[in-house]
Amino acid sequence: MDGWLAVACLWLAGAGWGAQVSGRGVTAAGLALTTLLGGAGLALAMRAFLAGHDLPLVLGSVGALGAAALLVFTRRE
């Protein structure tokens, strides 16, 4: 269960970061939230990895980068 919660945290952190960068700019509250989500996601992913489950770490990190890139490079009005 820790692994899938880690994936969700990392995806949300990546999406939040991408939305901030492509929007009006990075705010202190947004930066704090994405940092906390990313840190919690990495901690949970490493806990799952040490328990022998490597898929959440891979899915979380690649998904976070993909979500950030998608939100940065998509056009919003």
Side-chain angles (χ1 to χ4, degrees):
M1 184 66 182
D2 286 344
W4 299 113
L5 185 59
V7 170
C9 285
L10 288 171
W11 284 1
L12 286 173
W17 180 251
Q20 282 189 62
V21 169
S22 68
R24 294 178 300 251
V26 179
T27 62
L31 180 62
L33 182 63
T34 56
T35 301
L36 287 174
L37 273 174
L42 284 175
L44 289 170
M46 291 310 297
R47 190 168 152 184
F49 179 77
L50 292 175
H53 306 286
D54 58 344
L55 187 61
L57 181 62
V58 173
L59 283 178
S61 58
V62 172
L65 289 172
L70 180 70
L71 286 172
V72 166
F73 294 117
T74 55
R75 203 176 257 228
R76 279 188 290 236
E77 302 288 326

